[in-house]
Structure formats: structure tokens, C-alpha cells
């Protein structure tokens, strides 16, 4: 199938008017100008399908409100529609392995992962699993390692959400954040403060994290650190084999990760809003400093596309550079060599966008198949 009359965002340049051919799930040809007998792209902008390596949205679909639990099948199908409608063609569902209020038993985390694999062939988006190992919850390690060994996990991150470091370098910030976040659960501020104090004193199972990292790396799975705040933390994560620094909370940590050759990923909502919701490093500051390689949706799928075009619109990056933050750079970090660029021979994941102050996805293709369309193409 040929689609003509498109503005094509290629890896190094933008082709103002061109045509692209999708055949057998691949991009078989890209030409300048209009191809004959082609579907009219109506001047839309064609970019590679967005790749989201960290999205917490499945957790929200499963339990959108305290005490309201929905079936995994319903949650997956509803999230799937949101993803492709936002131009995301490959997504990593982040599954937490952490104990405490508002969370689940680690065994249930594995059951969710297994359920994803039961349904993923029926989904429109290529949905993968990002398992989050919390170093204060060491008993989840065997469960997570089982998922890795069974090829049910595609990305692993090592996390420490306890106060006193990382995202919550200040204990009061931790208490304030979770007092707002956990409204609706039977948890008072005093109980949150007590839990924070317990986490401050709890040992970090870095020796077990090393075992988790080793299992992931021997399976060829990328390993990410999370909320790095100091050079020392980055050094520790690098020594464990992490090749990605997710959401560093200081410029110092981002610069150190970059110096070590790690991919640096920041939140797309942060980039779009121009600041972190938790008062940490601004993604825009990191991009302008040249230390950010990629963006992830974190908690808001639509922000991935919106931030990409906003960066170009405000003159921060060229359009190919901005698009790369959510496509080819993420593909490189996650070992996905078959997608992320509009290049002949690669997988035909394609998004057609109407540019403007609030860009709109008009059509999405996954492996050459139209999985979303609002009727613009006719």
C-alpha cells in the first residue's frame, strides 16, 4: 500500500512532500513526490510509531480508584485503544514489585505479567513488559527472576523509592507527596510518616539487585536505573550493568550517566509542562543541556507526541531530533533494531499527524496494518 502527499520525518531530515509504501509489515519504499495509485495522505506529517519504554497506565486502568478493581482483559483493551490513539505503537507496561499500601503482593505482579502474555497477540499495540524491582522488597526477586527466565519480561529497572535519596531526597517531601497520592486509602499522615521512617531505616538489598541484574543481562534484557540523584548512585547502577538512566532527578546525575555512555530518559509530561511535578530536574533543562536521549510517557500517554512537536515548535530541537527522542533512540536503548525509523526494510510502524498547537493523531499503523483512524484518510 502506497500513501502519498505526506511530510516524511526521516532520521536525518524532513522530506516536505513524499510517499511511503507499506508491504508485508515492512516499509518497502520511500520516494520524494507523489507515487501513482496511492492513498492520499492529505499533507499529514508521517513519523515512526512512538516507542514508550515506561508507562504506568496499566496500573491505573486496573485500579483507577482506591478499592475499585477491574479485570485485566478490560484494562488491557482500554489501554490499548489509548496507546494507538496517541501514536504509541510499541509500549512497555511498567509492573511494580513493591509492598505497602496501594500496592500488591509480588506474586500478583507476576500473574499480571502472565495475563499480559495471554492477551498481547490480540492487542493493536505491541505491548511489552517492564518489571520494576524495588530494592526494599527483596522477596520479590525470585518471582521477577522467574518471569525473566520464562521470557515474560522485556525490560528491568532497579528502583529505590524510599525517602532520603532519589526522587524523595527530603522526608517531608515524601510525606507530602504520598499524603496527596494516597487519598482514598485508609492511611493517615501519621501512618505515612511512620512508614517513611521505617523505609529510611530498612536495608537495601543491593546484593539481591545484583542477582536480578545478572539474570536480566544474561537473557539480553536491557537494565535501567531509576531516579538517580548523585554521581555515586549512577556509578553504583553502572556497576550493576544498567545501560539506561530513567528520570534522573539532578543535572549532575544525568551528566554522569551521559559520561558513562548510558542512555538518559526523562518524562514526556515533564518535558511538555516544562518542569517536574515533584520539583526535580526539568526535562527541558536536561534537553537544552544535551544530556537527554529519550522520553517516556510515565503516567500520560498523550504527552509523548505532544512534547515531541512542542520541542520542535519552540525551536529547542529540529523535528527529526525531537521525534528521535520517542522513537529511534528508545529503540536503540531497548535493543529493538527493527523499528523506530522511517527506513526501507524496517517494520512499518507509522503515525500520521496533523500538526498545530495541539497536534492530532489521524491514523496509526502497526506492522503495516491500520489500527487507528479517525476517518481523515477516507
Amino acid at each position: 500500500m502506497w500513501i502519498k502527499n505526506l511530510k516524511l520525518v526521516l532520521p536525518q531530515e524532513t522530506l516536505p512532500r513524499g510517499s511511503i509504501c507499506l508491504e508485508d509489515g515492512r516499509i518497502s519504499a520511500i520516494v520524494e513526490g507523489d507515487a501513482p495509485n496511492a492513498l492520499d495522505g492529505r499533507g499529514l506529517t508521517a513519523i515512526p510509531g512512538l516507542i514508550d519504554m515506561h508507562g504506568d497506565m496499566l496500573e491505573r486502568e486496573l485500579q483507577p480508584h482506591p478499592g475499585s478493581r477491574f479485570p485485566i482483559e478490560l484494562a488491557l483493551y482500554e489501554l490499548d485503544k489509548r496507546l494507538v490513539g496517541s501514536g504509541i505503537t510499541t509500549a512497555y507496561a511498567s509492573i511494580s514489585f513493591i509492598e505497602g499500601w496501594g500496592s500488591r503482593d509480588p506474586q500478583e505482579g507476576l500473574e499480571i505479567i502472565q495475563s499480559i502474555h495471554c492477551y498481547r497477540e490480540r492487542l493493536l499495540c505491541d505491548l511489552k513488559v517492564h518489571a520494576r524491582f524495588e530494592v526494599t522488597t527483596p522477596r520479590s526477586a525470585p518471582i521477577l527472576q522467574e518471569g525473566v527466565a520464562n521470557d515474560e519480561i522485556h525490560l528491568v529497572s532497579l528502583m529505590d523509592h524510599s525517602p532520603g535519596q532519589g526522587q524523595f531526597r527530603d522526608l517531608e517531601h515524601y510525606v507530602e507527596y504520598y499524603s496527596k497520592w494516597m487519598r482514598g486509602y485508609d492511611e493517615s499522615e501519621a501512618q505515612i510518616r511512620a512508614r517513611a521512617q521505617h523505609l529510611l531505616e530498612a536495608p537495601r538489598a543491593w546484593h539481591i539487585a545484583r542477582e536480578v541484574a545478572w539474570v536480566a543481562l544474561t537473557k539480553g534484557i536491557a537494565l535501567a536505573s531509576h531516579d538517580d540523584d548523585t554521581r555515586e548512585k549512577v556509578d553504583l547502577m553502572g556497576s550493576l550493568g544498567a545501560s539506561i538512566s530513567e528520570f534522573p532527578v539532578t543535572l549532575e546525575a544525568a551528566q554522569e550517566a551521559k559520561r558513562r555512555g548510558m542512555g538518559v530518559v526523562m518524562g514526556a509530561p515533564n518535558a511538555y509542562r516544562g518542569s517536574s511535578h515533584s520539583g526535580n530536574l526539568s526535562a527541558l533543562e536536561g534537553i537544552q543541556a544535551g544530556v537527554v536521549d529519550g522520553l517516556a510517557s510515565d503516567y500520560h500517554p498523550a504527552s509523548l507526541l505532544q512534547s515531541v512537536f512542542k520541542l520542535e515548535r519552540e525551536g529547542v530541537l529540529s523535528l527529526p531530533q525531537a521525534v528521535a527522542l520517542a522513537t529511534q533512540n528508545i529503540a536503540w536503548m531497548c535493543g529493538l533494531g527493527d523499528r523506530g525509523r522511517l527506513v526501507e526494510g524496517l517494520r512499518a510502524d507509522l503515525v500520521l499527524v496533523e500538526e498545530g498547537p495541539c497536534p492530532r493523531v489521524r491514523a496509526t499503523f502497526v506492522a503495516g496494518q491500520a489500527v487507528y483512524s479517525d476517518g481523515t484518510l477516507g
Side-chain angles (χ1 to χ4, degrees):
M1 174 181 64
W2 278 96
I3 308 175
K4 66 179 182 179
N5 188 16
L6 293 172
K7 175 182 174 181
L8 293 162
V9 182
L10 306 180
Q12 303 297 330
E13 62 178 334
T14 299
L15 195 61
R17 188 181 180 100
S19 304
I20 188 168
C21 185
L22 315 181
E23 188 175 12
D24 296 328
R26 301 278 169 176
I27 299 171
S28 61
I30 296 174
V31 299
E32 190 170 4
D34 289 343
N37 303 315
L39 183 67
D40 189 355
R42 300 180 182 272
L44 297 174
T45 298
I47 65 172
L50 303 179
I51 304 172
D52 184 14
M53 64 166 282
H54 185 122
D56 298 336
M57 292 76 65
L58 181 56
E59 306 273 13
R60 310 285 172 86
E61 291 288 349
L62 283 168
Q63 187 169 307
H65 191 272
S68 59
R69 188 79 174 175
F70 286 84
I72 183 70
E73 182 178 12
L74 175 60
L76 283 169
Y77 288 157
E78 289 304 307
L79 174 61
D80 191 37
K81 291 187 294 185
R82 288 180 65 199
L83 292 174
V84 296
S86 299
I88 298 171
T89 56
T90 303
Y92 288 75
S94 297
I95 307 299
S96 298
F97 285 80
I98 183 173
E99 297 169 285
W101 33 247
S103 59
R104 66 176 77 84
D105 184 272
Q107 181 62 41
E108 189 180 351
L110 182 59
E111 291 169 2
I112 291 173
I113 289 172
Q114 291 169 340
S115 295
I116 289 173
H117 283 273
C118 287
Y119 294 108
R120 66 190 298 255
E121 294 301 320
R122 306 181 213 175
L123 301 178
L124 306 172
C125 176
D126 184 10
L127 188 67
K128 300 180 183 293
V129 173
H130 176 169
R132 307 169 65 182
F133 175 70
E134 195 79 25
V135 296
T136 54
T137 310
R139 79 182 186 92
S140 68
I143 297 170
L144 192 150
Q145 288 169 318
E146 178 186 341
V148 171
N150 293 336
D151 297 321
E152 295 170 334
I153 292 172
H154 309 99
L155 179 64
V156 172
S157 56
L158 304 178
M159 307 198 173
D160 183 357
H161 279 104
S162 58
Q165 53 76 56
Q167 182 179 350
F168 302 110
R169 287 169 288 164
D170 179 76
L171 187 144
E172 292 305 315
H173 180 207
Y174 179 97
V175 173
E176 179 185 2
Y177 178 88
Y178 278 108
S179 293
K180 293 178 181 178
W181 183 250
M182 301 309 295
R183 283 175 184 162
Y185 292 95
D186 288 331
E187 195 81 17
S188 68
E189 181 177 322
Q191 289 172 308
I192 292 173
R193 190 175 297 278
R195 186 175 298 278
Q197 190 62 42
H198 170 74
L199 287 172
L200 266 175
E201 299 167 358
R204 273 61 156 180
W206 289 111
H207 63 293
I208 296 178
R210 189 175 296 278
E211 295 174 7
V212 170
W214 182 83
V215 171
L217 294 172
T218 56
K219 293 285 287 186
I221 296 172
L223 184 70
S225 61
H226 189 76
D227 289 351
D228 297 328
D229 58 337
T230 64
R231 288 191 175 93
E232 291 74 20
K233 181 70 172 294
V234 174
D235 288 342
L236 170 62
M237 291 302 193
S239 73
L240 295 175
S243 59
I244 303 168
S245 176
E246 277 191 325
F247 312 145
V249 300
T250 65
L251 183 59
E252 173 192 54
Q255 290 170 331
E256 178 62 19
K258 188 76 171 176
R259 187 192 69 79
R260 293 181 65 100
M262 298 168 70
V264 177
V265 176
M266 297 291 290
N270 182 332
Y272 183 77
R273 295 172 62 248
S275 63
S276 164
H277 74 280
S278 55
N280 291 311
L281 175 64
S282 159
L284 184 59
E285 180 186 352
I287 291 168
Q288 291 171 328
V291 297
V292 175
D293 301 294
L295 296 172
S297 75
D298 196 5
Y299 57 87
H300 192 252
S303 65
L304 202 54
L305 180 85
Q306 296 300 322
S307 61
V308 163
F309 280 90
K310 185 176 183 180
L311 288 169
E312 187 270 340
R313 194 166 60 247
E314 295 186 352
V316 179
L317 297 172
S318 69
L319 190 53
Q321 289 171 330
V323 167
L325 293 177
T327 56
Q328 68 179 33
N329 293 0
I330 301 295
W332 164 70
M333 292 182 222
C334 295
L336 301 176
D338 65 340
R339 67 195 73 184
R341 294 168 292 154
L342 297 187
V343 172
E344 293 177 7
L346 294 190
R347 181 176 154 117
D349 292 348
L350 182 74
V351 184
L352 303 186
V353 182
E354 180 184 306
E355 293 192 52
C358 185
R360 299 178 64 184
V361 174
R362 293 303 194 177
T364 303
F365 297 81
V366 174
Q369 299 297 312
V371 296
Y372 171 79
S373 174
D374 65 0
T376 299
L377 296 184

